[in-house]
Structures are given as structure tokens and as C-alpha cells.
Amino acid sequence: MQNAKDTFYEVLRGRLAVLNPERTIVLRGVVRPGVLVEENELLTAVALPDCFRLRWSTSAADANGILPTIAMQCFADYETAGTAINGGMDRGRALAAMDAELQAAVDPLPRTSPKMDYAPLANGKAATPMTTSVWWSEVAFGETVIKDDRLARTATINVMSYQEAGEL
Amino acid sequence: MGNLLQPSDGAIRLADAALRSGGGRTVLLRLAAPALPNDDAEQLGLATPAFQDVALGPAAFHKADSVTKLLVSASAVHELLGTLGYDSADVLFETAVGLFIDGLLYKITNSFSSQAMGRPYTYWLTLEPPTR
């Protein structure tokens, strides 16, 4: 399950960075592409604007098959206040731009990628490919939510993978 | 040494004196070390950052209703900003892991400043105590 989550994040981050290299965040003093996984970051009360914050929700296992299939929901939260120079009057357009970027990153085929094991990175080694793949659904957009001066949205993507023997 | 020609420095010194005489103490601001550029291990939660505790004081607790607030000297905050290279106090408090006080790590949920002539002389930090 963890390998599927890691693989999906890496794929999404790469695609988003190619689509809009300008969308970056500064997190702990380092500039990086504007997408993060909340459970991998320090707890904070601040919701970073103008970036995609991924969180993982329900998962279900289907044991009918050669390998168990794991299905997970990935929520992408994002919000924007528009640009200060426009007094935030472009916040609707800014949110629409983020919608389009997410859709362009998630929806195009192939919506699949070889599953990778990133655990060796902790020891300074390279990630290793696994034998199965991760695949995902088209993105489903939630309604626009007004949060003070920001417009926010949560999009949902269903991510699936086979659970390989011995995998966490 | 404060600039005597700056009238708002008087407010800072007065606030510092009030905090010290009112039982002001030193607390520890816990900061995460800067991330490593392009480090997938950190972004995937495989590696945890190092932490550093920096002293912040004088500071005094202010408790009203169920909200715990900490009043912190602006001079101490500004000294930290200069030393650590943060753009603003807001960024410093938003990116801090929390405040380490008497063995407990409090989360900073909000911060704002009291100002005189456009310059902060104290910072108010709203704290959330640890749940366990």
C-alpha cells in the first residue's frame, strides 16, 4: 500500500512539475514542486495555498484474484487567494488553472505506472522497481468552497495496485 | 543597543521591562532544520529532519478562558529573525514545530503582534497544548 502511495505521488509530482514549473512551494527553506503529501510533512496549522496537498483516505482490499487488489482514495486539497497584485480578483481564474493542471496531470493515458519501492532511499540507495503496477481513475472535482479570502476545492482520485507478497 | 531616535524602541524596551518584571521566562522555539534539496526520502516521509531549539525570551503566559496565549518580547523575536534569516515573524511562527515549555511541546496555532508606530513591540502566540 505504501509503495503505491509513494509511486503515485512521484508520478503526479513529476507530471505537475512539467505542466507548470512555476508552481512551486518553499517548505523548510527549500523550493520544490507545488505538491506535497500531508502525512509526510510536519504537523502544521497552516494550509499552504497555491499547491496540491495530498492525503490518503479509505482503502479496500479485494482478495479475489491471483494477487490481492488494494484500492485507495487520494484527496487533493488546494486553495488560492489569487494574486495580490490583482487584489485577489483573479482567485476564480487561479482555482480554474489549478483544476486544469490537476486534470492534465491525472487524466491522460496511460493512467498507470510501474510500482516502485522507495524504502532504499532511506539508506542512500536508489528506488527499486517492483513487479506490478499502480493505476488510477480520472480525477473527480468537489465543489468550490469559500474560505475567507480563498477559494478551495478537494479533488478525488482512486488509486489501485496489486499487493505483492511481503509488501507493506 | 536600541536606537534612541526611534520612538517605537521605547515601546519595545517598556514591553521587555514589563515582561521581565512580570515573571517573564525563557521558552524554547523548536525549529526543523532546513530540508535537503531534491531529497525524495524526506518528501516521502522516509527521513526525518533534525530539530533545533532556540531560546526565546522574555515571554509570559496569558491564560483567558480556555485559550493559552504566550506574550513574547519583540526584541527577542527580531533578534532570531536576523540570526536565522527568516523573512518575517509570521513565517518563523508558521514554520516552527512548536514551543517547548517545561517538557511539553505546544503547537502554535496563531500569532499576531501589538504595534507602536507601525513596529511590533510584542508578539502574541496562541498555543495548543499536547493532547497526550
Side-chain angles (χ1 to χ4, degrees):
Chain A
M1 211 179 300
Q2 186 61 51
N3 293 320
K5 290 155 71 174
D6 291 347
T7 302
F8 180 72
Y9 164 71
E10 290 280 334
V11 172
L12 186 62
R13 186 190 62 180
R15 289 187 179 186
L16 286 169
V18 169
L19 284 164
N20 183 3
E22 303 290 312
R23 187 171 302 287
T24 56
I25 49 171
V26 179
L27 215 56
R28 291 193 292 113
V30 168
V31 180
R32 48 186 266 200
V35 56
L36 59 85
V37 182
E38 283 187 343
E39 65 191 29
N40 295 345
E41 303 296 337
L42 291 169
L43 281 174
T44 173
V46 183
L48 277 176
D50 300 303
C51 73
F52 299 98
R53 306 187 309 274
L54 307 185
R55 57 189 164 89
W56 293 94
S57 183
T58 52
S59 59
D62 180 0
N64 295 318
I66 300 169
L67 289 173
T69 310
I70 303 291
M72 296 172 287
Q73 272 195 313
C74 176
F75 294 108
D77 297 318
Y78 50 103
E79 56 195 73
T80 179
T83 53
I85 199 166
N86 290 324
M89 291 174 69
D90 58 350
R91 58 192 182 280
R93 303 183 79 85
L95 190 72
M98 296 187 80
D99 294 342
E101 279 173 36
L102 187 62
Q103 190 168 29
V106 173
D107 284 2
L109 297 172
R111 287 197 294 273
T112 182
S113 177
K115 187 158 63 173
M116 303 287 288
D117 178 6
Y118 290 92
L121 292 181
N123 301 317
K125 296 176 182 167
T128 54
M130 302 183 75
T131 54
T132 58
S133 295
V134 177
W135 66 98
W136 55 91
S137 68
E138 292 182 338
V139 62
F141 293 103
E143 64 184 29
T144 305
V145 178
I146 299 170
K147 293 170 70 177
D148 297 326
D149 62 337
R150 296 181 184 177
L151 294 181
R153 193 188 310 287
T154 297
T156 310
I157 306 144
N158 295 315
V159 179
M160 291 144 281
S161 74
Y162 289 117
Q163 186 79 357
E164 297 183 24
E167 189 181 354
L168 286 174
Chain B
M1 181 83 184
N3 182 356
L4 296 176
L5 297 176
Q6 283 274 3
S8 55
D9 278 1
I12 291 177
R13 288 198 299 273
L14 186 62
D16 283 3
L19 281 171
R20 286 199 183 90
S21 61
R25 52 174 297 175
T26 298
V27 297
L28 295 174
L29 184 67
R30 179 159 287 186
L31 300 165
L36 300 170
N38 303 318
D39 184 10
D40 279 358
E42 274 200 2
Q43 293 183 24
L44 295 173
L46 287 164
T48 51
F51 297 101
Q52 58 176 335
D53 292 340
V54 290
L56 195 61
F61 272 112
H62 174 91
K63 190 155 176 65
D65 301 329
S66 59
V67 180
T68 303
K69 287 185 176 171
L70 191 75
L71 195 57
V72 185
S73 150
S75 59
V77 173
H78 294 164
E79 193 178 323
L80 269 188
L81 293 180
T83 309
L84 301 174
Y86 281 85
D87 290 337
S88 70
D90 286 343
V91 175
L92 175 70
F93 294 131
E94 283 175 5
T95 54
V97 178
L99 279 165
F100 202 61
I101 306 168
D102 296 335
L104 296 176
L105 184 64
Y106 291 78
K107 195 159 75 175
I108 302 169
T109 57
N110 192 20
S111 69
F112 64 92
S113 62
S114 296
Q115 303 190 354
M117 304 182 75
R119 290 187 69 197
Y121 59 90
T122 52
Y123 285 91
W124 293 83
L125 307 181
T126 307
L127 304 182
E128 187 180 298
T131 51
R132 59 182 166 83

